[in-house]
């Protein structure tokens, strides 16, 4: 999204991380924390009482190891625990993080990062005296080498897998200088390095804990790990030694702790937010959307003044994918292999109406390309997608040999439970022009499995940016990324597209690279392996006493500057 010889095994048994197979101690740790919270709530100290930020992670949490950071919840929590070389701001600009500056060689193949000298890992028994040591350049050599180690099988191996020769491509001339040597220039590299996958980790702890590093995380971030009972509660505490400061020169973070619950039912989580038990809620489920928002996207009178609605463009393209690789047996008899059928489907959907009534206007119609609104280089005037034109759809059906849909086989469209209403709307729109579909509902994990194995012809999908560069989106259509080698789920292949994609790899000028992206996006739209439904908008709800939160197109939860008044 992605050796175990470092560190001594001569640690005293008393220093062994107790997060592993020691439920009694874990329960005791949580009890102590609970007593701390209860005490804070009754000691008359409002600043202490209010400094715990409460969040719900409704889809659970798979790991706290950044090497396996692959969904929104793990991204959110890893962003509190770890740092990388660089970071992204709310304007999608790259800023220094542990690297205070960097240089790029004239040929674009060597990146030299100059590191801060005041960044320390969180305290842990595996460090000398239990005190977190300084993070140095060799830690990045280890961390990045780990991502591409086949024995680790990191889901984040995509970050470097085709860009470096091996671990020898990561070099630490001294403690504050780190180099990445690429096989060939890759201009989006800095953007990719803002990913939480590229976080630095300490070899002593990772090597000792092995796979259990997932629940015994140690980083350099603004919060440190305290307790995690899977499926119930996660607790992170303020890192008192954190190196970043706010614009006024005050030490970060401002919060004392983060407490996450794992309530799977969205309505229950919403009630927890309404009653003030949660400080933050991400997205608004369809089951209560109309209660909160008008069709124009405004907060209803019932809830005006009750909370803060934070909305902005999100780097998330919601789409329908169509398998088009005619060499696959599943495609042999599929009408979707016919270009004019795919184009007819694109013209058949009234996206504006769909967004108004099913998303309460909190989205942007997908009338341009696959790269979403909010991405640097996005230009709806230069990339021409599809707008609602049912007459044109009918003409294309006729030209394809299926007048008014006569003789056209029924098409199976697969989606998940959460998007049933959206897909049933699409089903109705297609039927109006003569395209009959059958909607199949499955679980998210099952659909992902089917799509990843080319096991479904027509499917609902979304692509959330891993990093803020259009290359991340266009990689889904590069022929060398066909399954099983990459995320080309539609089996799209076009020689001109591939040529432009590879040309963009070597273009350091942003404006020129964006122009190449636009050419590629137009090619994808012309060949129509996807239907762009809409570009999502992040919808965050905060309690009115919360300030200092971020509003960024990655929907990246940044809590180090948050203040709870």
């Amino acid at each position: 999204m992605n050796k175990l010889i470092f560190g001594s095994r001569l640690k005293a048994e008393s220093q062994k991380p107790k997060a592993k197979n020691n439920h009694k101690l874990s329960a005791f740790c949580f009890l102590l924390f609970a007593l701390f919270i209860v005490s804070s709530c009754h000691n008359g100290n409002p600043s202490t009482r209010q400094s715990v930020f409460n969040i719900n992670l409704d889809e659970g949490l798979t790991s706290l190891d950044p090497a396996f950071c692959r969904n929104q919840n793990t991204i959110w929590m890893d962003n509190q625990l770890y740092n990388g070389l660089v970071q992204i701001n709310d304007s999608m600009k790259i800023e220094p993080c542990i690297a205070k500056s960097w240089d790029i060689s004239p040929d674009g193949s060597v990146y030299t990062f100059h590191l801060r000298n005041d960044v320390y890992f969180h305290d842990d028994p595996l460090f000398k005296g239990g005190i977190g040591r300084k993070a140095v350049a060799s830690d990045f050599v280890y961390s990045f080498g780990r991502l591409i180690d086949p024995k680790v099988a990191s889901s984040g191996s995509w970050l470097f897998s085709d860009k470096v020769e091996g671990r020898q491509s990561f070099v630490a001339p001294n403690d504050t200088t780190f180099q990445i040597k690429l096989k060939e220039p890759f201009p989006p590299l800095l953007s990719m390095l803002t990913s939480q996958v590229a976080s630095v980790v300490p070899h002593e702890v990772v090597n000792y804990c092995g796979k259990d590093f997932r629940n015994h995380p140690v980083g350099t971030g603004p919060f440190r790990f305290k307790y995690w009972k899977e499926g119930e509660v996660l607790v992170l505490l303020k890192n008192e030694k954190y190196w970043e400061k706010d614009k006024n020169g005050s030490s970060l973070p401002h919060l004392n702790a983060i407490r996450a619950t794992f309530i799977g039912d969205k309505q229950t989580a919403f009630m927890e937010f309404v009653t003030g038990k949660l400080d933050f809620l991400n997205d608004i489920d369809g089951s209560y959307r109309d209660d909160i928002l008008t069709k124009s996207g405004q907060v209803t009178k019932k809830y005006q003044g009750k909370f803060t609605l934070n909305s902005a463009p999100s780097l998330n393209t919601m789409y329908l994918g169509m398998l088009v690789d005619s060499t696959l047996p599943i495609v042999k008899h599929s009408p979707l292999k016919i270009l004019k059928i795919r184009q007819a489907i694109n013209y058949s959907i009234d996206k504006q109406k769909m967004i108004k009534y099913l998303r309460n206007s909190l989205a942007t119609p997908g009338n341009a390309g696959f790269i979403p609104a909010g991405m640097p280089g996005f230009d709806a005037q230069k990339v021409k997608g599809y707008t609602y034109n049912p007459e044109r759809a009918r003409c294309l059906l006729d030209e394809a040999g299926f007048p008014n849909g006569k003789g056209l086989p029924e098409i199976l469209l697969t989606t998940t439970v959460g998007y049933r209403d959206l897909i049933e709307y699409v089903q109705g729109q297609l039927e109006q022009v003569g395209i009959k579909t059958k909607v199949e509902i499955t679980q998210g994990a099952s659909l992902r499995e089917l799509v990843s194995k080319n096991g479904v012809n027509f499917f609902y999908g979304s692509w959330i940016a891993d990093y803020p560069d259009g290359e991340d989106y266009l990689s889904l259509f590069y022929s060398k990324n066909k399954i099983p080698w990459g995320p080309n789920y539609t089996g799209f292949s076009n020689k001109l597209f591939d040529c432009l994609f590879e040309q963009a790899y070597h273009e350091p000028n942003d404006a020129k690279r964006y122009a190449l992206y636009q050419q590629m996006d137009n090619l994808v739209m012309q060949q129509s392996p996807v239907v762009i439904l809409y570009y999502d908008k992040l919808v965050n709800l905060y309690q009115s006493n919360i300030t200092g939160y971020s509003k960024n197109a990655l929907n990246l939860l940044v809590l180090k500057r948050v203040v709870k008044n």
Side-chain angles (χ1 to χ4, degrees):
M1 221 156 286
N2 123 343
K3 119 203 197 176
L4 306 178
I5 58 174
F6 298 91
S8 171
R9 293 190 63 87
L10 300 179
K11 299 285 181 182
E13 183 61 24
S14 62
Q15 288 185 305
K16 183 178 180 179
K18 304 297 196 229
K20 180 162 44 175
N21 300 323
N22 197 332
H23 302 298
K24 290 183 180 180
L25 184 57
S26 294
F28 178 68
C29 289
F30 178 66
L31 177 61
L32 287 178
F33 183 79
L35 289 172
F36 164 75
I37 296 297
V38 170
S39 173
S40 298
C41 289
H42 292 85
N43 67 5
N45 185 342
S47 62
T48 303
R49 180 176 71 248
Q50 295 176 349
S51 63
V52 178
F53 189 86
N54 296 288
I55 182 176
N56 183 61
L57 304 176
D58 59 359
E59 294 185 355
L61 194 62
T62 56
S63 175
L64 289 171
D65 182 344
F68 298 92
C69 184
R70 55 189 172 190
N71 60 37
Q72 189 172 65
N73 287 347
T74 55
I75 290 171
W76 280 354
M77 294 301 99
D78 284 354
N79 195 46
Q80 319 312 321
L81 290 165
Y82 302 99
N83 293 128
L85 292 167
V86 290
Q87 58 189 332
I88 203 81
N89 65 19
D90 284 358
S91 299
M92 296 292 97
K93 301 295 184 183
I94 298 164
E95 292 186 339
C97 193
I98 294 179
K100 59 185 179 181
S101 63
W102 51 87
D103 306 306
I104 304 173
S105 65
D107 66 355
S109 65
V110 179
Y111 286 68
T112 302
F113 298 90
H114 308 285
L115 310 187
R116 298 180 64 94
N117 199 34
D118 58 353
V119 179
Y120 290 81
F121 287 111
H122 303 151
D123 292 349
D124 189 88
L126 287 169
F127 294 124
K128 185 177 180 180
I131 305 301
R133 63 167 175 81
K134 186 180 296 183
V136 295
S138 59
D139 292 309
F140 280 100
V141 173
Y142 171 78
S143 300
F144 290 178
R146 181 172 176 254
L147 291 180
I148 60 174
D149 187 340
K151 294 179 181 178
V152 176
S154 166
S155 58
S157 61
W158 58 268
L159 192 69
F160 294 114
S161 58
D162 61 343
K163 300 172 184 65
V164 299
E165 295 291 352
R167 298 173 72 114
Q168 66 271 23
S169 298
F170 308 123
V171 182
N174 55 58
D175 282 354
T176 58
T177 307
F178 172 66
Q179 291 183 322
I180 300 175
K181 298 181 178 181
L182 303 177
K183 290 193 290 188
E184 57 183 8
F186 184 71
L189 181 68
L190 285 174
S191 293
M192 292 178 70
L193 290 175
T194 65
S195 168
Q196 281 60 51
V197 170
S199 299
V200 67
V201 296
H203 62 80
E204 303 96 323
V205 183
V206 177
N207 288 340
Y208 192 86
C209 292
K211 292 182 179 179
D212 283 341
F213 186 67
R214 68 179 291 278
N215 54 17
H216 186 81
V218 175
T220 62
F223 295 90
R224 57 186 176 85
F225 177 77
K226 179 62 179 179
Y227 177 82
W228 179 20
K229 186 173 184 180
E230 294 192 40
E232 294 189 24
V233 67
L234 169 73
V235 176
L236 307 180
L237 299 182
K238 177 178 182 176
N239 176 10
E240 299 285 354
K241 302 175 183 178
Y242 191 57
W243 55 276
E244 274 191 287
K245 299 184 184 299
D246 65 15
K247 61 183 180 182
N248 298 318
S250 299
S251 295
L252 296 175
H254 299 306
L255 295 167
N256 280 350
I258 299 168
R259 180 179 182 271
T261 53
F262 300 90
I263 302 169
D265 182 76
K266 294 181 183 295
Q267 286 188 321
T268 302
F270 175 61
M271 291 309 301
E272 292 283 288
F273 177 79
V274 168
T275 56
K277 295 178 182 178
L278 292 176
D279 295 304
F280 166 86
L281 195 68
N282 179 60
D283 207 3
I284 301 175
D285 188 64
S287 60
Y288 53 81
R289 188 179 292 123
D290 289 338
D291 189 40
I292 297 178
L293 299 173
T294 66
K295 293 302 181 185
S296 61
Q298 303 302 310
V299 177
T300 58
K301 290 183 179 180
K302 178 179 178 180
Y303 289 105
Q304 283 180 5
K306 300 290 180 64
F307 52 75
T308 300
L309 173 67
N310 177 25
S311 181
S314 174
L315 298 185
N316 184 11
T317 297
M318 318 299 280
Y319 70 99
L320 303 178
M322 294 177 276
L323 200 54
V324 297
D325 185 350
S326 57
T327 66
L328 298 171
I330 192 175
V331 179
K332 186 175 181 180
H333 300 293
S334 169
L336 297 175
K337 69 180 180 180
I338 303 171
L339 174 59
K340 289 184 178 180
I341 299 296
R342 301 196 300 270
Q343 291 174 332
I345 290 172
N346 268 283
Y347 280 120
S348 299
I349 303 167
D350 187 341
K351 302 167 189 174
Q352 192 71 52
K353 182 179 178 182
M354 176 183 68
I355 289 169
K356 180 176 181 180
Y357 291 102
L358 297 180
R359 290 291 299 169
N360 296 72
S361 301
L362 290 177
T364 302
N367 295 334
F370 197 70
I371 295 175
M375 178 69 80
F378 174 85
D379 191 333
Q381 300 302 313
K382 293 182 179 178
V383 179
K384 300 300 181 182
Y386 294 85
T387 54
Y388 183 49
N389 191 338
E391 288 305 315
R392 179 61 182 146
R394 293 186 182 96
C395 287
L396 285 164
L397 283 178
D398 191 21
E399 292 171 14
F402 304 101
N404 297 315
K406 185 177 180 180
L408 183 67
E410 183 179 68
I411 304 171
L412 183 66
L413 174 52
T414 309
T415 187
T416 59
V417 176
Y419 293 93
R420 181 173 190 158
D421 58 344
L422 188 78
I423 298 307
E424 288 180 345
Y425 170 84
V426 169
Q427 181 184 35
Q429 293 275 280
L430 295 180
E431 188 171 1
Q432 288 181 25
V433 300
I435 302 173
K436 293 184 179 180
T437 59
K438 178 183 178 182
V439 175
E440 183 173 80
I441 308 296
T442 186
Q443 296 298 316
S446 299
L447 180 55
R448 286 192 293 272
E449 180 77 7
L450 282 169
V451 171
S452 69
K453 293 182 177 179
N454 289 146
V456 59
N457 276 309
F458 198 20
F459 56 91
Y460 172 81
S462 69
W463 189 259
I464 302 173
D466 295 298
Y467 49 93
D469 191 277
E471 188 271 347
D472 186 33
Y473 283 80
L474 296 170
S475 66
L476 271 72
F477 306 101
Y478 184 46
S479 65
K480 293 182 181 178
N481 283 341
K482 282 187 179 182
I483 290 171
W485 312 113
N488 186 342
Y489 302 125
T490 63
F492 179 78
S493 182
N494 182 282
K495 289 183 178 179
L496 177 56
F497 180 95
D498 287 353
C499 181
L500 292 169
F501 189 82
E502 291 165 6
Q503 185 180 340
Y505 259 47
H506 302 87
E507 181 49 69
N509 181 280
D510 286 347
K512 292 180 180 179
R513 194 167 71 257
Y514 296 157
L516 292 171
Y517 290 168
Q518 290 155 9
Q519 288 184 60
M520 285 184 270
D521 222 349
N522 275 317
L523 276 171
V524 172
M525 291 302 98
Q526 290 162 17
Q527 294 299 310
S528 305
V530 290
V531 178
I532 312 303
L533 297 176
Y534 60 88
Y535 311 117
D536 207 5
K537 287 186 178 179
L538 66 87
V539 182
N540 299 153
L541 304 182
Y542 289 92
Q543 297 293 354
S544 298
N545 63 334
I546 302 295
T547 58
Y549 53 81
S550 291
K551 182 187 290 188
N552 59 77
L554 284 171
N555 198 14
L556 182 61
L557 190 66
V558 181
L559 296 180
K560 59 190 174 186
R561 296 185 182 87
V562 163
V563 175
K564 193 171 179 181
N565 298 306

